[in-house]
Amino acid sequence: MPVKIAVLKETRPNERRVAMVPAVADKLAKLGAQIHLQSGAGLAVKLADAAYKNVQLHPDPLEMVRDADIVLSVQPPNDAVVQAMKAGAILISFVYAHKEAELTRQLRDRKITTFAMELVPRITRAQAMDALSSQAALAGYYAVLVGATSIARMLPMMTTAVGSLKPAMTLVMGLGVAGLQALATARRLGSRTEGYDVRPETKEQAESLGARFVDTGVDARGAGGYARELTQEEKDKVAAVITKHIQQADIVVTTAAIPGRPSPKLISKAQVEGMKAGAVIVDLAAEGGGNCELTKPGETVTVDGVRIIGPMNLPAQLPYHASEMYARNIFNFLKPAIDKDGALAIDWNDEVFAQSALTHDGQVRHEPTAKLI
């Protein structure tokens, strides 16, 4: 039997993305899948129901998911949807189980197989499925725009009849996908750029984007492509070097976030107090508590003339491209699991499926989450 895929309309506050766009729905239909879409799911992206040609529309999400083999969303669905799903069905969405313990228990007890998109392993073969990276690239781009529109000066150098204006300085702390995109965007806008990361292998990447790399002499490479926790001695050594760069910057973008753990503190209150008036910190790690000691998630605060912005869910501010990229990630994830007859055939020996599984067959498969709940 062809696999039935149900796509939900997002219901969480300030979430403007949708898990499926028309072009990707067409590709799934060509694989033999049946696509069902909750009416109005794409309206926040300016995608009317009529834009979807190969789908069946449903006004009631609960009826839609009752016999669905796969349910797709960006944010995890509400309790009613989970209770309406049939046992053995598959949910694919971001979950962040450390914040959703009760939902995870429900998914386990309902025997729902949950593939959490934040758990997709960061291996070469899975790059096209890596939704964390696709959304982080958009966040890095938009963070610089937020910073550029929050300072009282221009980013590029400009020569006028009354003299020249010096370019602004942008410092990016944390050179993962978001950080590198932030560096590239700031450079394109004409800013001078500096990049800092505790992983020394990022030096070449920063310099390839025209940025100066701030080398503190501390190597904090950790598992899974993330940085490890610094010792107090290492933190003091980093602070001694990085403080002057923070305090010379007009825009500081911080991006150091580790899924399931509090964001590491990179900027102290004392460092902020030494920054020049009119400077801006855009803290992309706000959802985990922030990289700056003074960050308030979801708010903008001003300390001694320095604005500290703690945006939440920045990719949702670019919903069209964020949805397009997320839908492509979903397609690349699902394609190996749909056979030539359009039926579902998951290979549990495939490390992508095995490591992305949060719950399956009445168990929590993700070990850290199992310990948590």
Side-chain angles (χ1 to χ4, degrees), residues 4 13 122 187 197 206 303 323:
K4 177 181 176 180
R122 288 188 150 176
R187 181 75 172 181
D197 198 292
V303 178
S323 299

Side-chain angles (χ1 to χ4, degrees), residues 300-322:
T300 297
V301 297
T302 302
V303 178
D304 294 333
V306 177
R307 299 182 73 186
I308 304 160
I309 304 171
M312 306 286 280
N313 195 9
L314 266 189
Q317 301 303 309
L318 299 167
Y320 182 88
H321 281 128

Side-chain angles (χ1 to χ4, degrees), residues 7-142:
V7 183
L8 294 170
K9 180 179 180 179
E10 301 298 317
T11 58
R12 297 209 174 186
N14 303 314
E15 182 54 74
R16 300 167 60 196
R17 292 171 290 182
V18 64
M20 187 57 52
V21 296
V24 175
D26 293 344
K27 289 183 178 181
L28 284 169
K30 287 181 181 178
L31 293 180
Q34 296 178 357
I35 315 299
H36 298 254
L37 181 79
Q38 183 180 347
S39 301
L43 291 181
V45 197
K46 308 303 181 187
L47 288 172
D49 290 344
Y52 293 86
K53 304 300 183 185
N54 290 296
V55 306
Q56 296 182 41
L57 297 170
H58 297 263
D60 185 345
L62 303 186
E63 288 299 321
M64 179 179 69
V65 303
R66 287 192 197 284
D67 62 346
D69 301 301
I70 300 173
V71 175
L72 304 180
S73 62
V74 180
Q75 301 288 349
N78 59 40
D79 294 349
V81 169
V82 173
Q83 293 301 319
M85 292 173 65
K86 67 182 182 181
I90 293 172
L91 170 67
I92 302 177
S93 73
F94 286 115
V95 180
Y96 295 108
H98 64 286
K99 299 179 181 179
E100 301 284 353
E102 183 55 37
L103 174 66
T104 304
R105 292 187 189 98
Q106 290 183 41
L107 293 166
R108 175 197 63 192
D109 296 344
R110 292 283 300 164
K111 294 192 174 181
I112 305 298
T113 294
T114 308
F115 290 112
M117 291 304 288
E118 72 273 11
L119 297 182
V120 171
R122 288 188 150 176
I123 57 177
T124 301
R125 183 167 61 85
Q127 284 182 344
M129 313 171 194
D130 187 351
L132 275 181
S133 291
S134 71
Q135 304 302 293
L138 294 172
Y141 162 81
Y142 200 70

Side-chain angles (χ1 to χ4, degrees), residues 179-259:
L180 292 172
Q181 187 58 242
L183 277 182
T185 301
R187 181 75 172 181
R188 285 195 294 267
L189 292 175
S191 177
R192 292 178 295 149
T193 52
E194 291 186 330
Y196 160 72
D197 198 292
V198 291
R199 299 165 300 164
E201 69 269 22
T202 59
K203 179 177 186 291
E204 184 177 341
Q205 295 170 306
E207 291 177 343
S208 72
L209 295 171
R212 178 171 179 257
F213 184 75
V214 180
D215 190 350
T216 63
V218 173
D219 184 347
R221 283 173 285 193
Y226 296 103
R228 62 171 173 81
E229 184 71 24
L230 299 180
T231 65
Q232 187 58 50
E233 183 180 353
E234 288 173 326
K235 290 179 181 178
D236 293 341
K237 184 177 181 180
V238 167
V241 175
I242 201 70
T243 296
K244 68 176 182 179
H245 295 274
I246 292 172
Q247 296 178 348
Q248 290 171 354
D250 298 288
I251 299 173
V252 180
V253 177
T254 65
T255 72
I258 304 174

Side-chain angles (χ1 to χ4, degrees), residues 283 285-290 294-301 309-312:
D283 193 339
E287 293 190 40
L294 301 176
T295 296
K296 292 187 177 180
E299 299 182 27
T300 297
V301 297
I309 304 171
M312 306 286 280

